[in-house]
Amino acid sequence: GTAPALLLQLEVELDDGTSVVVVSDGSFKAAAGPLLQAQHYDGETYDARRERPGWDTAQADEAGWTPCVTGLDKLPPKARPSGAAGEWWMNPSSGDLNANLDINASPAPRVRRIERLTPISCTKPAGGDPIFDLGQNMVGWVHLKIPTGTAAGSTFTIRHAEVLNPDGTLYTANLRRARCTDTYVAKGEAQEVFEPRFTFKGFRYVEVAAQGPDGQVLAGWAPTPDQIEGVVVHSAMEPTGSFECSDGLINQLQHNIIWGQKGNFIDVPTDCPQRDERLGWTGDAQVFCRTAAFNFDVAGFFAKWLVDLNDAQAPQGMYPMVAPDVLAKGQGDGGPGWADAGVIVPWTMYLCYGDKRVLQQHYDAMAKYVDWLPTADVDKRHCFGDWLHHDAHTPVDLIATAFAAHSAELMSRIAGVLERKRDRTHFAALSRRFKKDFQTKYVTPAGRVLGDTQTAYVLALAFDLLPQELRKAAADRLVFDVEHGRYTNTWRNRNGHLSTGFLGVKDLTFVLSAAGRDDVAFRLLLAEDYPSWLFPVKNGATTIWERWDGWTPDNGFQSPGMNSFNHYAYGAIGQWLYQHVAGIEVDESQPGYLHSLIAPHLPPRDSQAAQRIAWVKASLQTSYGQLVSHWAVESDTVTLQVTIPANTTATVTLPCGSTEAVRETGRSLAQAEGVRSVKTDDGTVQCEVGSGVYQFTFPRP
């Protein structure tokens, strides 16, 4: 809209027990202030000369202030705030809100200033303005100290960018229509500081231009790093997880995953924080939510977002592509892998935190969505496909059928948790129906899956859509594609690289590991050339890129229309690092880590991965306390130190074939305190342990 509008009801409880209610009515007055523009895409313009000291006190001078217009019906049609409905506008006569407006307190942590970054360098491109490098792609804004003695009317223009052009100037083409520019006009006082309040940016580099009142370059303008700070802003989630190992590149990858999450968890899980988008994309959220729950406490964050998602559900049952739904307006289908966030995210939050309420609150909406799936035409259903894959198109109808089977299977489990036996049977049958459709339409008797892409095999194996006798053939075909390639119109030589997009990336390494091919999974993890997780790391990335080829030495920047350097989807590899490499997993039958599964996986002996990853330490702050898995290899002896929180238990699985070869703090397992139910299974030793600290040693397999 073109007219600012306010709907307000302030309730003040006084010391004597009475209350005062202040509502937005005709008694309000308005006047122009120093804030001339405030928009999160374009930035903020603040003219300090227009400040009104004391305007927010009881002694304010009201001269020049004008009464506010009340009621949307009194505004010209073109000036009415877009999206506002008259039935919930404030009634000036009573101050009551219409009952149709359902306002609830948000369970999410508030967005706050979390930390501050100081520049690591300052450069000045030829003929340009000074550019500060904060050393980290961050989200928030700049705190700028205005030089002492600056004349009133001097203007400071602050521009932001994630990366630089080859000539050292800001690369802003990927911002699309977002200006990402703040402007401050000085008032001429001794000490002035500018920090915007109603905008945020995604950036690492900051350009500051200064002009005097005459419009010319400010005389003597030579900024120093102590005049600039980057104020990091995100939802104030408590850090819960840590992962580190002996390989510095993997540690930087984990760093990038963390910062990608911080920069995109700003009240909603945005796709990216810099361009003219910043929307709560459902597909990105469902891919990353499990990794997110390792790094931070996201229970409240997703509790709030799931309400946004349910609010946007279409009457037929479809979930949208973004929530809050600013695109389809409650009528659109987000499509396979995106709409399924409505089921996948609540289930994941239940597993991680053990709170049934998230399933109870959203059960009806989830059931409505899954019951809608059989009515959807997979050939006509909107689908983003395996978004931003690397030259490997997976048929969209295959993706739709795979995710329909997966969501129906999850709904069967959810109904079981909530003891809805009839629903459990219903959704299990629905899942089997989709599974049969998948096998009939997309799987050959030899175990080939239509599309013959990595993602096609990953979905088929991860969602358990194949007959048992064909799983090995499908896994072998997946490995062949990774190690060699496949024919399309021409030969695609993968040469040990991935090709998955958003929908295949999370489960790729899990599927390989489950097939007994940890060697291939670790090789993918440690690949340093494009496309890989470490290629951006090797090229200076401090967050996760949107595309595998956001920038390459041969081609430079990818298309600016879709090229964010802070996107968290591919950071879903963090889940495999925590769960598989470190071996920290939740027991679905006792969620929230009441019972944990500790099963670390070492890189195959004598492999390059074994040389690079000699130790791993991961921890997770659960509701019961800190859970730790720390393994190290020295002289062919493996030491695993495990910490199990109070009032919980765990199953520890060691990659060792003999119970006699295992020691716990120097004692045999039979004599070790707190260790029970010892057995061997498929080349491993398993035992049950209670809370406490344990140190297992055994020969490297």
Side-chain angles (χ1 to χ4, degrees):
T2 57
L6 173 68
L7 175 65
L8 178 145
Q9 179 167 311
L10 175 66
E11 299 180 5
V12 185
E13 295 182 4
L14 305 180
D15 290 340
D16 62 4
T18 62
S19 63
V20 175
V21 178
V22 180
V23 298
S24 44
D25 57 19
S27 69
F28 275 68
K29 295 182 179 180
L35 191 61
L36 305 183
Q37 173 180 284
Q39 210 271 350
H40 66 300
Y41 293 151
D42 289 340
E44 185 169 310
T45 299
Y46 190 94
D47 188 344
R49 298 172 301 178
R50 300 168 64 99
E51 291 179 345
R52 294 173 176 262
W55 72 270
D56 53 352
T57 68
Q59 294 75 37
D61 181 3
E62 297 184 18
W65 291 62
T66 57
C68 293
V69 175
T70 58
L72 291 182
D73 57 321
K74 297 181 181 178
L75 292 175
K78 290 185 178 181
R80 294 176 186 175
S82 58
E87 62 268 24
W88 57 260
W89 189 249
M90 182 67 70
N91 181 343
S93 62
S94 67
D96 293 330
L97 291 173
N98 186 286
N100 292 332
L101 181 59
D102 183 16
I103 299 179
N104 298 285
S106 170
R110 297 295 177 263
V111 177
R112 302 189 187 282
R113 300 174 178 87
I114 304 297
E115 58 188 297
R116 294 175 181 261
L117 303 181
T118 56
I120 62 173
S121 67
C122 180
T123 59
K124 189 174 183 180
D129 294 298
I131 294 177
F132 295 89
D133 178 4
L134 292 168
Q136 171 64 53
N137 196 2
M138 56 158 282
V139 174
W141 50 74
V142 164
H143 178 94
L144 176 65
K145 297 177 182 177
I146 306 302
T148 302
T150 298
S154 298
T155 301
F156 295 82
T157 304
I158 308 168
R159 298 200 305 143
H160 309 74
E162 296 182 290
V163 291
L164 299 178
N165 289 308
D167 63 358
T169 58
L170 299 183
Y171 174 72
T172 58
N174 69 327
L175 301 180
R176 302 194 303 208
R177 294 175 300 173
R179 292 180 61 243
C180 295
T181 301
D182 293 329
T183 303
Y184 179 80
V185 182
K187 55 187 172 184
E189 294 187 357
Q191 298 291 330
E192 294 185 56
V193 173
F194 173 58
E195 186 175 320
R197 298 174 58 196
F198 300 106
T199 184
F200 71 91
K201 325 286 193 310
F203 63 98
R204 171 175 173 169
Y205 299 93
V206 180
E207 177 192 85
V208 184
Q211 294 179 318
D214 58 359
Q216 302 299 311
V217 175
L218 189 66
W221 171 238
T224 56
D226 62 349
Q227 292 177 265
I228 287 280
E229 284 184 317
V231 182
V232 178
V233 173
H234 58 80
S235 291
M237 308 166 291
E238 287 295 325
T240 52
S242 67
F243 179 95
E244 58 180 329
C245 68
S246 55
D247 188 87
L249 292 179
I250 299 300
N251 292 338
Q252 183 64 42
L253 173 63
Q254 170 65 8
H255 168 96
N256 294 2
I257 294 170
I258 292 284
W259 277 87
Q261 182 174 348
K262 290 196 294 188
N264 282 291
F265 277 41
I266 300 183
D267 208 46
V268 298
T270 59
D271 56 325
C272 59
Q274 74 296 98
R275 65 183 179 225
D276 57 344
E277 193 166 355
R278 313 182 199 183
L279 304 176
W281 282 94
T282 50
D284 305 47
Q286 70 87 0
V287 167
F288 188 74
C289 63
R290 186 63 191 276
T291 300
F294 276 113
N295 295 328
F296 293 90
D297 180 351
V298 293
F301 178 87
F302 275 114
K304 179 267 180 189
W305 184 71
L306 286 171
V307 174
D308 293 339
L309 186 57
N310 281 4
D311 285 346
Q313 187 177 30
Q316 302 95 312
M318 306 96 77
Y319 287 110
M321 60 185 69
V322 299
D325 182 18
V326 298
L327 299 180
K329 308 295 185 184
Q331 296 297 322
D333 172 21
W338 273 255
D340 299 279
V343 177
I344 295 172
V345 175
W347 173 251
T348 303
M349 293 302 103
Y350 165 71
L351 289 181
C352 294
Y353 301 105
D355 189 346
K356 290 183 182 180
R357 289 176 297 178
V358 68
L359 303 181
Q360 294 166 338
Q361 180 181 0
H362 302 293
Y363 185 86
D364 290 343
M366 291 188 287
K368 187 176 184 179
Y369 168 68
V370 176
D371 279 333
W372 169 80
L373 288 172
T375 70
D377 187 337
V378 296
D379 295 317
K380 297 180 181 179
R381 191 180 175 196
H382 158 75
C383 183
F384 288 106
D386 188 26
W387 186 248
L388 298 183
H389 60 81
H390 180 60
D391 194 21
H393 173 72
T394 304
V396 294
D397 54 335
L398 178 152
I399 292 173
T401 305
F403 271 95
H406 183 52
S407 285
E409 167 61 21
L410 292 184
M411 275 306 301
S412 177
R413 297 187 208 175
I414 291 168
V417 169
L418 300 181
E419 300 181 352
R420 298 181 180 228
K421 295 181 180 179
R422 182 176 297 180
D423 284 1
R424 181 178 184 178
T425 301
H426 164 67
F427 289 120
L430 192 57
S431 179
R432 289 193 297 270
R433 169 182 163 184
F434 285 123
K435 183 176 179 178
K436 183 178 180 180
D437 286 348
F438 187 92
Q439 294 175 3
T440 301
K441 297 177 181 178
Y442 309 117
V443 183
T444 74
R448 291 285 186 95
V449 178
L450 186 68
D452 202 31
T453 65
Q454 292 177 20
T455 292
Y457 291 107
V458 166
L459 296 181
L461 291 164
F463 296 167
D464 193 22
L465 303 179
L466 300 176
Q468 187 62 35
E469 65 271 16
L470 295 184
R471 289 184 65 85
K472 184 180 185 305
D476 288 345
R477 186 62 187 170
L478 170 62
V479 170
F480 182 84
D481 188 278
V482 172
E483 293 186 331
H484 303 290
R486 66 188 179 92
Y487 275 110
T488 50
N489 294 327
T490 58
W491 181 256
R492 300 291 189 250
N493 189 358
R494 303 292 179 207
N495 193 27
H497 290 80
L498 50 75
S499 65
T500 52
F502 282 22
L503 295 186
V505 70
K506 176 176 72 71
D507 291 314
L508 173 61
T509 47
F510 280 107
V511 164
L512 290 168
S513 295
R517 297 308 304 266
D518 260 347
D519 57 327
V520 180
F522 274 101
R523 193 157 69 247
L524 285 175
L525 171 69
L526 294 173
E528 297 179 9
D529 53 342
Y530 154 79
S532 68
W533 283 286
L534 295 186
F535 174 76
V537 174
K538 290 280 288 187
N539 286 278
T542 59
T543 45
I544 300 297
W545 291 358
E546 179 179 19
R547 313 181 75 120
W548 300 117
D549 59 345
W551 176 91
T552 62
D554 294 334
N555 300 317
F557 294 116
Q558 246 283 7
S559 167
M562 198 72 63
N563 196 24
S564 159
F565 290 95
N566 190 355
H567 239 77
Y568 56 70
Y570 289 145
I573 184 62
Q575 181 182 346
W576 187 74
L577 294 177
Y578 277 105
Q579 280 183 225
H580 189 78
V581 181
I584 296 177
E585 173 62 305
V586 68
D587 182 350
E588 182 178 321
S589 66
Q590 300 183 67
Y593 300 95
L594 178 60
H595 182 80
S596 302
L597 306 176
I598 306 295
H601 290 75
L602 284 61
R605 186 183 183 121
D606 300 325
S607 66
Q608 181 194 30
Q611 297 174 14
R612 292 178 57 173
I613 305 178
W615 60 266
V616 165
K617 183 175 183 180
S619 66
L620 177 64
Q621 187 67 33
T622 72
S623 301
Y624 304 95
Q626 191 174 57
L627 182 65
V628 178
S629 174
H630 179 195
W631 62 259
V633 180
E634 186 174 358
S635 300
D636 284 338
T637 296
V638 181
T639 300
L640 171 65
Q641 183 170 307
V642 176
T643 302
I644 308 301
N647 301 314
T648 71
T649 57
T651 300
V652 179
T653 302
L654 308 172
C656 179
S658 169
T659 57
E660 289 75 18
V662 180
R663 291 290 181 270
E664 194 287 308
T665 319
R667 296 166 294 186
S668 68
L669 293 182
Q671 298 173 326
E673 184 179 352
V675 178
R676 59 189 184 277
S677 303
V678 179
K679 63 179 182 179
T680 58
D681 181 39
D682 194 23
T684 65
V685 172
Q686 293 183 1
C687 59
E688 302 297 318
V689 299
S691 59
V693 179
Y694 303 86
Q695 183 168 290
F696 300 94
T697 56
F698 52 92
R700 177 164 194 161

